[in-house]
């Protein structure tokens, strides 16, 4: 449940006051199956980046302590970026915190895990997997969200929480939903 860390809504332009088409208003809400994974979709956790910081200084560079409180074999992330970056650049990370005090960092790599939400289909040797695409109206640009799946190397240890961290590159990552697969 990301409710405690959402900082933007789906039905509003969360990154551009003058660009009212850049919303996720066409994205279905609640429990939805996207790319074969059930996600609970309610809002956006937008982190900052070097370019976004100029126009939207209120976005944080990290969201810490996202509660998980369970064991799982896989984590699925429904995410994208605001802004472009060079392919193969680490733009952020998910830091998995286990109940035994250990942690594991999952890098978010531009071009592999996600790209900017408003770019055309990924054109890369190993493109990110598109989980959803939609547009507010037929004449407006298509927005895309991507799915990344991480295989937990320690499925028998409970994950207490996850930190979502920006590397403050030109591409600012955002997270829409997170699913733990038992």
């Amino acid at each position: 449940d990301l409710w405690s860390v959402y900082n933007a809504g789906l039905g509003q332009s969360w990154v551009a006051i003058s660009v009212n088409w850049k919303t996720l208003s066409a994205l279905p809400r609640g429990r939805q199956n996207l790319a074969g994974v059930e996600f609970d979709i309610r809002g956006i956790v937008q982190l900052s980046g070097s370019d976004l910081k100029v126009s939207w200084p209120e976005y944080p560079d990290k969201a810490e302590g996202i509660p998980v409180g369970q064991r799982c074999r896989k984590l699925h992330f429904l995410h994208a970026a605001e802004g472009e970056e060079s392919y193969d650049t680490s733009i952020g990370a998910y830091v998995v915190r286990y109940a035994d005090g250990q942690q594991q960092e999952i890098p978010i790599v531009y071009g592999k895990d996600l790209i900017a939400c408003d770019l055309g289909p990924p054109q890369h040797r190993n493109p990110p997997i598109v989980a959803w695409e939609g547009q507010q109206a037929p004449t407006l640009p298509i927005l895309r969200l991507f799915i990344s799946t991480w295989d937990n190397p320690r499925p028998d240890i409970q994950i207490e929480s996850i930190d979502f961290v920006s590397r403050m590159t030109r591409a600012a990552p955002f997270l829409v939903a997170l699913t733990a697969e038992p």
Side-chain angles (χ1 to χ4, degrees):
D1 183 359
L2 299 177
W3 190 254
S4 65
V5 291
Y6 285 137
N7 55 13
L10 297 170
Q12 66 199 39
S13 180
W14 75 100
V15 290
I17 294 171
S18 63
V19 183
N20 63 3
W21 60 264
K22 201 168 208 180
T23 78
L24 293 176
S25 60
L27 179 65
R29 280 132 173 101
R31 293 191 180 276
Q32 300 293 326
N33 190 304
L34 301 176
V37 175
E38 185 175 301
F39 289 104
D40 186 8
I41 299 168
R42 302 185 209 177
I44 300 167
V45 182
Q46 176 69 64
L47 296 184
S48 192
S50 61
D51 291 353
L52 191 60
K53 191 109 185 131
V54 174
S55 55
W56 293 87
E58 67 272 15
Y59 286 127
D61 61 355
K62 59 187 164 190
E64 296 179 300
I66 299 169
V68 177
Q70 61 184 318
R71 295 181 177 103
C72 67
R73 292 182 302 110
K74 296 175 186 265
L75 291 174
H76 303 279
F77 303 93
L78 183 63
H79 55 185
E82 170 55 32
E84 295 182 60
E85 184 52 83
S86 301
Y87 275 57
D88 299 321
T89 299
S90 177
I91 66 165
Y94 297 104
V95 180
V96 176
R97 299 190 180 281
Y98 292 98
D100 65 2
Q102 292 191 33
Q103 64 185 38
Q104 176 85 34
E105 184 173 292
I106 307 164
I108 303 168
V109 179
Y110 192 88
K112 175 182 172 262
D113 298 306
L114 50 71
I115 61 172
C117 65
D118 56 348
L119 290 182
Q123 304 294 318
H124 193 252
R125 64 185 177 278
N126 294 311
I129 300 167
V130 176
W132 174 85
E133 61 182 24
Q135 59 194 132
Q136 193 174 345
T139 59
L140 296 175
I142 294 172
L143 298 181
R144 290 176 179 80
L145 298 177
F146 304 91
I147 184 172
S148 296
T149 299
W150 176 71
D151 292 317
N152 183 0
R154 306 182 71 215
D156 296 330
I157 307 296
Q158 179 170 300
I159 296 174
E160 288 296 317
S161 65
I162 296 174
D163 298 341
F164 178 34
V165 181
S166 172
R167 299 262 191 256
M168 296 302 290
T169 65
R170 290 176 299 156
F174 67 88
L175 177 65
V176 174
L178 166 64
T179 296
E181 182 179 318

Coordinates of all heavy atoms in Angstrom, one line a residue, residues 58-142:
E58 N 9.2 20.8 -4.7 CA 8.6 20.1 -3.6 C 8.8 18.6 -3.7 O 8.6 17.9 -2.7 CB 7.1 20.5 -3.4 CG 6.3 20.0 -4.6 CD 6.2 21.0 -5.7 OE1 7.0 21.9 -5.8 OE2 5.3 20.8 -6.6
Y59 N 9.1 18.1 -4.8 CA 9.3 16.6 -4.9 C 10.5 16.2 -4.2 O 11.6 16.7 -4.4 CB 9.2 16.1 -6.4 CG 7.9 16.1 -7.0 CD1 7.6 16.8 -8.2 CD2 6.8 15.5 -6.4 CE1 6.4 16.8 -8.7 CE2 5.5 15.5 -6.9 CZ 5.3 16.2 -8.1 OH 4.1 16.2 -8.6
P60 N 10.4 15.1 -3.4 CA 11.6 14.7 -2.6 C 12.6 13.9 -3.4 O 12.2 13.4 -4.5 CB 11.0 13.8 -1.5 CG 9.8 13.2 -2.2 CD 9.2 14.3 -3.1
D61 N 13.8 13.7 -2.9 CA 14.7 12.8 -3.6 C 14.6 11.4 -3.2 O 15.3 10.5 -3.7 CB 16.2 13.4 -3.5 CG 16.7 13.4 -2.0 OD1 15.9 13.1 -1.1 OD2 17.8 13.7 -1.8
K62 N 13.8 11.1 -2.2 CA 13.6 9.7 -1.8 C 12.2 9.6 -1.0 O 11.7 10.6 -0.4 CB 14.7 9.2 -0.9 CG 15.0 10.0 0.3 CD 16.2 9.5 1.0 CE 16.7 10.5 2.0 NZ 18.0 10.2 2.6
A63 N 11.7 8.4 -1.0 CA 10.6 8.0 -0.2 C 11.0 6.8 0.7 O 11.2 5.7 0.1 CB 9.4 7.7 -1.0
E64 N 11.1 7.0 2.0 CA 11.7 6.0 2.8 C 10.6 5.3 3.6 O 9.5 5.8 3.9 CB 12.7 6.6 3.8 CG 13.9 7.2 3.2 CD 14.8 7.8 4.2 OE1 14.4 8.8 4.9 OE2 16.0 7.4 4.2
G65 N 10.9 4.0 3.9 CA 10.0 3.2 4.8 C 8.7 2.8 4.2 O 7.7 2.7 4.9
I66 N 8.6 2.6 2.9 CA 7.4 2.1 2.3 C 7.1 0.7 2.9 O 7.9 -0.2 2.7 CB 7.5 2.0 0.8 CG1 7.8 3.4 0.2 CG2 6.2 1.4 0.2 CD1 8.1 3.4 -1.3
P67 N 6.0 0.5 3.6 CA 5.8 -0.8 4.3 C 5.5 -1.9 3.4 O 4.8 -1.8 2.4 CB 4.6 -0.5 5.2 CG 3.9 0.7 4.6 CD 5.0 1.4 3.8
V68 N 6.2 -3.1 3.7 CA 5.9 -4.3 3.0 C 5.4 -5.4 4.0 O 4.3 -5.9 3.9 CB 7.1 -4.9 2.2 CG1 6.8 -6.2 1.5 CG2 7.6 -3.8 1.2
G69 N 6.2 -5.7 5.0 CA 5.8 -6.6 6.1 C 5.4 -8.0 5.7 O 4.5 -8.5 6.3
Q70 N 6.1 -8.5 4.7 CA 5.8 -9.9 4.3 C 7.0 -10.5 3.6 O 7.9 -9.9 3.1 CB 4.6 -10.0 3.4 CG 4.7 -9.2 2.1 CD 3.4 -9.2 1.4 OE1 2.7 -10.2 1.3 NE2 3.0 -8.1 0.8
R71 N 6.9 -11.9 3.5 CA 7.9 -12.6 2.7 C 7.4 -12.6 1.2 O 6.2 -12.6 1.0 CB 8.0 -14.0 3.2 CG 8.6 -14.1 4.6 CD 8.7 -15.6 5.0 NE 9.4 -15.7 6.2 CZ 8.8 -15.9 7.4 NH1 7.5 -16.2 7.4 NH2 9.4 -16.0 8.5
C72 N 8.3 -12.7 0.3 CA 7.9 -12.8 -1.1 C 9.0 -13.4 -2.0 O 10.2 -13.3 -1.6 CB 7.4 -11.5 -1.6 SG 8.7 -10.2 -1.8
R73 N 8.6 -13.9 -3.1 CA 9.6 -14.4 -4.0 C 10.0 -13.4 -5.1 O 11.1 -13.4 -5.6 CB 9.0 -15.6 -4.8 CG 8.8 -16.9 -4.0 CD 8.3 -18.1 -4.8 NE 7.0 -17.8 -5.4 CZ 6.8 -17.6 -6.7 NH1 7.8 -17.8 -7.6 NH2 5.6 -17.3 -7.2
K74 N 9.0 -12.5 -5.4 CA 9.3 -11.5 -6.4 C 8.7 -10.1 -6.0 O 7.6 -10.1 -5.3 CB 8.7 -11.9 -7.7 CG 9.3 -13.1 -8.3 CD 8.5 -13.5 -9.6 CE 8.9 -14.8 -10.2 NZ 9.9 -14.7 -11.2
L75 N 9.2 -9.1 -6.4 CA 8.6 -7.7 -6.3 C 8.4 -7.2 -7.8 O 9.3 -7.3 -8.6 CB 9.5 -6.8 -5.6 CG 9.7 -7.0 -4.1 CD1 10.7 -6.0 -3.5 CD2 8.4 -6.8 -3.4
H76 N 7.2 -6.7 -8.0 CA 6.9 -6.1 -9.3 C 6.7 -4.6 -9.1 O 5.9 -4.2 -8.3 CB 5.6 -6.7 -9.9 CG 5.7 -8.2 -10.0 ND1 6.3 -8.9 -11.1 CD2 5.2 -9.2 -9.2 CE1 6.2 -10.2 -10.9 NE2 5.6 -10.4 -9.8
F77 N 7.4 -3.8 -10.0 CA 7.3 -2.3 -9.9 C 6.6 -1.8 -11.2 O 7.0 -2.2 -12.3 CB 8.7 -1.7 -9.8 CG 9.5 -2.3 -8.6 CD1 10.3 -3.3 -8.8 CD2 9.4 -1.7 -7.4 CE1 11.1 -3.8 -7.7 CE2 10.1 -2.1 -6.3 CZ 10.9 -3.2 -6.5
L78 N 5.6 -1.0 -11.0 CA 4.9 -0.3 -12.1 C 5.4 1.1 -12.0 O 5.0 1.9 -11.1 CB 3.4 -0.4 -11.9 CG 2.6 0.3 -13.0 CD1 2.8 -0.5 -14.4 CD2 1.1 0.2 -12.7
H79 N 6.2 1.5 -13.0 CA 6.9 2.8 -12.9 C 7.3 3.4 -14.2 O 7.1 2.7 -15.3 CB 8.2 2.7 -12.0 CG 9.1 1.6 -12.4 ND1 10.2 1.2 -11.7 CD2 9.1 0.8 -13.5 CE1 10.9 0.3 -12.3 NE2 10.2 0.0 -13.4
A80 N 7.8 4.6 -14.2 CA 8.3 5.3 -15.4 C 9.2 6.4 -14.9 O 9.5 6.6 -13.7 CB 7.2 5.7 -16.3
A81 N 9.6 7.3 -15.9 CA 10.4 8.5 -15.5 C 9.8 9.7 -16.1 O 9.1 9.7 -17.1 CB 11.8 8.3 -16.0
E82 N 10.0 10.8 -15.5 CA 9.7 12.1 -16.0 C 11.0 12.7 -16.5 O 11.9 13.0 -15.7 CB 9.1 13.0 -14.9 CG 8.9 14.5 -15.3 CD 8.2 14.7 -16.6 OE1 7.3 13.9 -17.0 OE2 8.5 15.7 -17.3
G83 N 11.2 12.9 -17.8 CA 12.4 13.4 -18.4 C 13.3 12.3 -18.9 O 13.1 11.1 -18.5
E84 N 14.1 12.7 -19.8 CA 15.0 11.7 -20.5 C 16.4 11.7 -19.9 O 16.8 12.6 -19.2 CB 15.2 12.1 -22.0 CG 13.9 12.0 -22.8 CD 14.0 12.3 -24.2 OE1 14.8 11.6 -24.9 OE2 13.4 13.2 -24.7
E85 N 17.1 10.6 -20.1 CA 18.4 10.4 -19.6 C 19.2 9.5 -20.6 O 18.5 8.8 -21.4 CB 18.4 9.8 -18.2 CG 19.8 9.6 -17.6 CD 20.6 10.9 -17.5 OE1 20.4 11.7 -16.6 OE2 21.5 11.0 -18.4
S86 N 20.4 9.4 -20.6 CA 21.2 8.4 -21.4 C 20.9 7.0 -21.0 O 20.7 6.7 -19.8 CB 22.7 8.7 -21.2 OG 23.0 10.0 -21.6
Y87 N 20.7 6.2 -22.0 CA 20.5 4.8 -21.8 C 21.6 4.2 -20.9 O 22.7 4.6 -21.0 CB 20.3 4.0 -23.1 CG 18.9 4.1 -23.6 CD1 18.3 5.3 -23.9 CD2 18.2 2.9 -23.9 CE1 17.0 5.4 -24.4 CE2 16.9 3.0 -24.4 CZ 16.3 4.2 -24.7 OH 15.0 4.3 -25.2
D88 N 21.2 3.2 -20.1 CA 22.1 2.5 -19.2 C 22.6 3.3 -18.0 O 23.5 2.9 -17.3 CB 23.3 1.9 -19.9 CG 22.8 0.8 -21.0 OD1 21.9 0.1 -20.7 OD2 23.4 0.8 -22.1
T89 N 21.9 4.4 -17.7 CA 22.2 5.3 -16.6 C 21.4 4.9 -15.4 O 20.2 4.7 -15.6 CB 22.0 6.8 -16.9 OG1 22.8 7.1 -18.0 CG2 22.3 7.6 -15.7
S90 N 22.0 4.7 -14.2 CA 21.2 4.4 -13.0 C 20.6 5.7 -12.6 O 21.3 6.6 -12.2 CB 22.1 3.8 -11.9 OG 21.3 3.6 -10.8
I91 N 19.2 5.8 -12.6 CA 18.5 7.0 -12.2 C 18.0 6.9 -10.8 O 17.5 7.9 -10.3 CB 17.4 7.4 -13.2 CG1 16.3 6.4 -13.2 CG2 18.0 7.5 -14.6 CD1 15.0 6.8 -13.9
G92 N 18.0 5.8 -10.2 CA 17.5 5.6 -8.9 C 17.7 4.2 -8.4 O 18.4 3.4 -9.0
A93 N 17.0 3.9 -7.3 CA 17.1 2.5 -6.7 C 15.9 2.3 -5.8 O 15.3 3.2 -5.2 CB 18.4 2.3 -6.0
Y94 N 15.6 1.0 -5.6 CA 14.7 0.5 -4.6 C 15.6 -0.2 -3.6 O 16.4 -1.1 -4.0 CB 13.7 -0.5 -5.1 CG 12.8 0.1 -6.2 CD1 12.9 -0.1 -7.5 CD2 11.8 1.0 -5.8 CE1 12.1 0.5 -8.5 CE2 10.9 1.6 -6.7 CZ 11.1 1.3 -8.0 OH 10.3 1.9 -9.0
V95 N 15.6 0.2 -2.3 CA 16.4 -0.4 -1.3 C 15.5 -1.3 -0.4 O 14.6 -0.8 0.3 CB 17.1 0.6 -0.4 CG1 18.0 -0.1 0.7 CG2 18.0 1.5 -1.3
V96 N 15.7 -2.6 -0.5 CA 14.8 -3.6 0.2 C 15.5 -3.8 1.6 O 16.6 -4.1 1.7 CB 14.8 -4.9 -0.6 CG1 14.0 -5.9 0.2 CG2 14.2 -4.7 -2.0
R97 N 14.6 -3.6 2.6 CA 15.1 -3.7 4.0 C 14.4 -5.0 4.6 O 13.2 -5.0 4.7 CB 14.8 -2.5 4.8 CG 15.5 -1.2 4.2 CD 15.4 0.0 5.1 NE 16.1 1.1 4.5 CZ 17.4 1.3 4.5 NH1 18.2 0.4 5.1 NH2 17.9 2.4 3.9
Y98 N 15.3 -5.9 4.9 CA 14.8 -7.2 5.5 C 14.6 -7.1 7.0 O 15.2 -6.3 7.7 CB 15.8 -8.3 5.2 CG 15.8 -8.7 3.7 CD1 16.8 -8.2 2.9 CD2 14.9 -9.6 3.2 CE1 16.9 -8.5 1.6 CE2 15.0 -9.9 1.8 CZ 16.0 -9.4 1.0 OH 16.1 -9.7 -0.3
A99 N 13.8 -8.0 7.6 CA 13.5 -8.0 9.0 C 14.8 -8.3 9.8 O 14.9 -7.9 11.0 CB 12.5 -9.1 9.3
D100 N 15.8 -9.0 9.2 CA 17.0 -9.3 10.0 C 18.1 -8.2 9.9 O 19.2 -8.4 10.3 CB 17.6 -10.7 9.5 CG 18.1 -10.6 8.0 OD1 18.0 -9.5 7.4 OD2 18.5 -11.7 7.5
G101 N 17.7 -7.1 9.4 CA 18.6 -5.9 9.3 C 19.4 -5.8 8.0 O 20.0 -4.7 7.8
Q102 N 19.4 -6.8 7.2 CA 20.2 -6.7 6.0 C 19.3 -5.9 4.9 O 18.1 -5.8 5.1 CB 20.5 -8.1 5.4 CG 21.5 -8.8 6.3 CD 22.0 -10.1 5.7 OE1 22.1 -10.2 4.5 NE2 22.3 -11.1 6.5
Q103 N 20.0 -5.5 3.9 CA 19.3 -4.8 2.8 C 19.9 -5.2 1.5 O 21.0 -5.7 1.4 CB 19.4 -3.3 3.0 CG 20.8 -2.7 3.0 CD 20.8 -1.2 3.3 OE1 20.0 -0.8 4.2 NE2 21.6 -0.4 2.6
Q104 N 19.1 -4.9 0.5 CA 19.5 -5.2 -0.9 C 19.1 -4.1 -1.8 O 17.9 -3.6 -1.7 CB 18.8 -6.5 -1.4 CG 19.0 -6.9 -2.8 CD 20.2 -7.7 -3.0 OE1 20.6 -8.5 -2.1 NE2 20.9 -7.5 -4.1
E105 N 20.0 -3.6 -2.6 CA 19.6 -2.5 -3.5 C 19.3 -3.0 -4.9 O 20.1 -3.8 -5.5 CB 20.8 -1.5 -3.6 CG 20.5 -0.3 -4.4 CD 21.5 0.8 -4.4 OE1 21.7 1.4 -3.3 OE2 22.2 1.1 -5.4
I106 N 18.2 -2.5 -5.5 CA 17.8 -2.8 -6.8 C 17.9 -1.5 -7.6 O 17.2 -0.6 -7.5 CB 16.3 -3.3 -6.8 CG1 16.1 -4.4 -5.8 CG2 15.9 -3.7 -8.3 CD1 14.6 -4.6 -5.6
P107 N 18.9 -1.5 -8.5 CA 19.1 -0.3 -9.3 C 17.9 -0.1 -10.3 O 17.4 -1.0 -10.8 CB 20.4 -0.5 -10.1 CG 20.8 -1.9 -9.8 CD 19.9 -2.5 -8.8
I108 N 17.6 1.2 -10.6 CA 16.6 1.5 -11.6 C 17.4 2.1 -12.8 O 18.0 3.2 -12.7 CB 15.6 2.5 -11.1 CG1 14.9 2.0 -9.9 CG2 14.6 2.9 -12.2 CD1 14.1 3.1 -9.2
V109 N 17.5 1.3 -13.9 CA 18.3 1.7 -15.0 C 17.5 2.2 -16.2 O 16.6 1.5 -16.7 CB 19.2 0.5 -15.5 CG1 20.1 0.8 -16.7 CG2 20.0 0.0 -14.3
Y110 N 17.8 3.4 -16.6 CA 17.1 4.1 -17.7 C 17.4 3.3 -19.0 O 18.5 3.0 -19.3 CB 17.5 5.5 -17.9 CG 16.6 6.3 -18.8 CD1 15.5 6.9 -18.3 CD2 16.9 6.4 -20.2 CE1 14.7 7.6 -19.2 CE2 16.1 7.1 -21.0 CZ 14.9 7.7 -20.5 OH 14.1 8.4 -21.3
G111 N 16.3 2.9 -19.7 CA 16.4 2.2 -20.9 C 16.3 0.7 -20.7 O 15.9 0.0 -21.7
K112 N 16.5 0.2 -19.5 CA 16.4 -1.2 -19.2 C 15.1 -1.4 -18.4 O 14.3 -2.3 -18.8 CB 17.6 -1.7 -18.4 CG 17.5 -3.1 -18.0 CD 18.7 -3.6 -17.1 CE 18.5 -4.9 -16.5 NZ 18.0 -4.9 -15.1
D113 N 14.9 -0.7 -17.4 CA 13.7 -0.8 -16.5 C 12.6 0.1 -16.9 O 11.4 -0.3 -16.7 CB 14.1 -0.6 -15.0 CG 15.2 -1.5 -14.5 OD1 14.9 -2.7 -14.6 OD2 16.2 -1.1 -14.1
L114 N 12.9 1.2 -17.4 CA 11.9 2.2 -17.8 C 12.6 3.3 -18.6 O 13.8 3.3 -18.8 CB 11.3 2.9 -16.5 CG 12.3 3.4 -15.4 CD1 13.1 4.7 -15.8 CD2 11.6 3.7 -14.1
I115 N 11.7 4.2 -19.2 CA 12.1 5.4 -19.9 C 11.1 6.5 -19.5 O 10.2 6.2 -18.7 CB 12.2 5.2 -21.4 CG1 10.9 4.8 -22.0 CG2 13.3 4.2 -21.8 CD1 10.9 4.8 -23.6
A116 N 11.3 7.6 -20.1 CA 10.3 8.7 -19.9 C 8.9 8.3 -20.3 O 8.8 7.6 -21.4 CB 10.7 10.0 -20.6
C117 N 7.9 8.6 -19.5 CA 6.6 8.1 -19.8 C 6.0 8.6 -21.1 O 5.1 8.0 -21.6 CB 5.7 8.5 -18.6 SG 5.4 10.3 -18.4
D118 N 6.5 9.7 -21.6 CA 5.9 10.4 -22.8 C 6.7 10.2 -24.0 O 6.4 10.8 -25.1 CB 5.6 11.9 -22.5 CG 6.9 12.6 -22.1 OD1 7.9 12.0 -21.8 OD2 6.8 13.9 -22.1
L119 N 7.6 9.3 -24.0 CA 8.4 9.0 -25.2 C 7.7 7.9 -26.0 O 6.8 7.2 -25.5 CB 9.8 8.5 -24.9 CG 10.8 9.5 -24.3 CD1 12.1 8.9 -24.1 CD2 10.9 10.7 -25.3
G120 N 8.1 7.7 -27.3 CA 7.5 6.7 -28.1 C 8.0 5.3 -27.6 O 8.7 5.2 -26.6
P121 N 7.5 4.2 -28.2 CA 7.9 2.9 -27.8 C 9.5 2.8 -27.6 O 10.2 3.3 -28.5 CB 7.4 2.0 -28.8 CG 6.3 2.7 -29.5 CD 6.7 4.2 -29.4
P122 N 10.0 2.1 -26.6 CA 11.4 2.0 -26.4 C 12.1 1.4 -27.6 O 11.7 0.4 -28.1 CB 11.5 1.1 -25.2 CG 10.2 1.1 -24.6 CD 9.2 1.4 -25.6
Q123 N 13.2 2.0 -28.0 CA 14.0 1.5 -29.1 C 15.4 1.2 -28.6 O 16.3 1.9 -28.8 CB 14.1 2.5 -30.3 CG 12.7 3.0 -30.8 CD 12.0 1.9 -31.5 OE1 12.5 1.1 -32.2 NE2 10.7 1.8 -31.2
H124 N 15.5 0.0 -28.0 CA 16.8 -0.3 -27.3 C 17.0 -1.8 -27.5 O 16.0 -2.5 -27.7 CB 16.7 0.1 -25.8 CG 18.0 0.1 -25.1 ND1 18.3 -0.9 -24.2 CD2 19.1 0.9 -25.2 CE1 19.5 -0.6 -23.7 NE2 20.0 0.5 -24.3
R125 N 18.2 -2.3 -27.4 CA 18.5 -3.7 -27.6 C 17.7 -4.6 -26.6 O 17.3 -5.7 -26.9 CB 20.0 -4.0 -27.5 CG 20.6 -3.7 -26.2 CD 22.1 -3.9 -26.3 NE 22.8 -3.5 -25.1 CZ 23.1 -2.3 -24.7 NH1 22.8 -1.3 -25.5 NH2 23.7 -2.1 -23.6
N126 N 17.5 -4.2 -25.3 CA 16.7 -4.9 -24.3 C 15.8 -3.9 -23.7 O 16.0 -3.4 -22.6 CB 17.6 -5.5 -23.2 CG 18.5 -6.6 -23.8 OD1 18.0 -7.5 -24.4 ND2 19.8 -6.5 -23.5
P127 N 14.7 -3.5 -24.4 CA 13.8 -2.4 -24.0 C 13.0 -2.8 -22.7 O 12.8 -4.0 -22.5 CB 12.9 -2.2 -25.2 CG 12.8 -3.5 -25.9 CD 14.2 -4.1 -25.7
P128 N 12.6 -1.8 -22.0 CA 11.8 -2.1 -20.8 C 10.4 -2.6 -21.3 O 10.0 -2.4 -22.4 CB 11.6 -0.7 -20.1 CG 12.0 0.3 -21.2 CD 12.9 -0.4 -22.1
I129 N 9.8 -3.3 -20.4 CA 8.5 -3.9 -20.8 C 7.3 -3.0 -20.5 O 7.2 -2.5 -19.4 CB 8.3 -5.2 -19.9 CG1 9.4 -6.2 -20.3 CG2 6.9 -5.8 -20.2 CD1 9.4 -7.4 -19.3
V130 N 6.6 -2.6 -21.5 CA 5.4 -1.7 -21.4 C 4.3 -2.5 -20.7 O 3.9 -3.6 -21.2 CB 5.0 -1.2 -22.7 CG1 3.7 -0.3 -22.6 CG2 6.1 -0.4 -23.4
A131 N 3.8 -2.0 -19.6 CA 2.7 -2.6 -18.9 C 1.4 -2.0 -19.2 O 0.3 -2.6 -19.1 CB 3.0 -2.6 -17.3
W132 N 1.5 -0.7 -19.5 CA 0.2 0.1 -19.8 C 0.6 1.2 -20.7 O 1.7 1.8 -20.6 CB -0.4 0.6 -18.5 CG -1.6 1.5 -18.8 CD1 -2.9 1.1 -18.9 CD2 -1.6 2.9 -18.9 NE1 -3.7 2.2 -19.2 CE2 -2.9 3.3 -19.1 CE3 -0.6 3.9 -18.8 CZ2 -3.2 4.7 -19.3 CZ3 -0.9 5.2 -19.0 CH2 -2.2 5.6 -19.2
E133 N -0.3 1.6 -21.6 CA -0.2 2.8 -22.4 C -1.6 3.3 -22.6 O -2.6 2.6 -22.7 CB 0.5 2.6 -23.7 CG -0.1 1.6 -24.7 CD 0.8 1.5 -25.9 OE1 2.0 1.7 -25.9 OE2 0.2 1.1 -27.0
G134 N -1.7 4.6 -22.6 CA -3.0 5.3 -22.8 C -2.8 6.8 -23.0 O -1.7 7.3 -22.9
Q135 N -3.9 7.4 -23.4 CA -3.9 8.8 -23.6 C -5.2 9.4 -23.2 O -6.3 8.8 -23.1 CB -3.6 9.1 -25.0 CG -4.6 8.6 -26.0 CD -4.0 8.6 -27.4 OE1 -4.1 7.6 -28.1 NE2 -3.5 9.7 -27.9
Q136 N -5.2 10.7 -22.8 CA -6.3 11.4 -22.3 C -7.4 11.6 -23.4 O -8.5 11.6 -23.1 CB -5.9 12.7 -21.6 CG -6.9 13.4 -20.8 CD -6.3 14.6 -20.1 OE1 -5.1 14.8 -20.0 NE2 -7.2 15.4 -19.6
A137 N -6.9 11.8 -24.6 CA -7.7 12.1 -25.8 C -7.0 11.6 -27.0 O -5.8 11.6 -27.0 CB -8.1 13.5 -25.9
P138 N -7.7 11.2 -28.1 CA -7.1 10.7 -29.3 C -6.0 11.6 -29.9 O -5.1 11.1 -30.6 CB -8.2 10.5 -30.3 CG -9.4 10.3 -29.4 CD -9.2 11.2 -28.2
T139 N -6.1 12.9 -29.7 CA -5.1 13.8 -30.4 C -3.9 14.1 -29.5 O -3.0 14.8 -29.9 CB -5.8 15.1 -30.7 OG1 -6.4 15.7 -29.5 CG2 -6.9 14.9 -31.7
L140 N -3.9 13.6 -28.3 CA -2.8 13.8 -27.3 C -1.8 12.7 -27.3 O -2.1 11.6 -27.7 CB -3.4 14.0 -25.9 CG -4.4 15.2 -25.8 CD1 -5.0 15.2 -24.4 CD2 -3.6 16.5 -26.0
P141 N -0.6 13.0 -26.8 CA 0.5 12.0 -26.8 C 0.1 10.8 -25.9 O -0.7 10.9 -24.9 CB 1.7 12.7 -26.2 CG 1.4 14.2 -26.5 CD -0.1 14.3 -26.4
I142 N 0.6 9.6 -26.3 CA 0.4 8.4 -25.5 C 1.4 8.4 -24.3 O 2.6 8.8 -24.5 CB 0.7 7.2 -26.4 CG1 -0.5 7.1 -27.4 CG2 0.7 5.9 -25.5 CD1 -0.2 6.0 -28.5

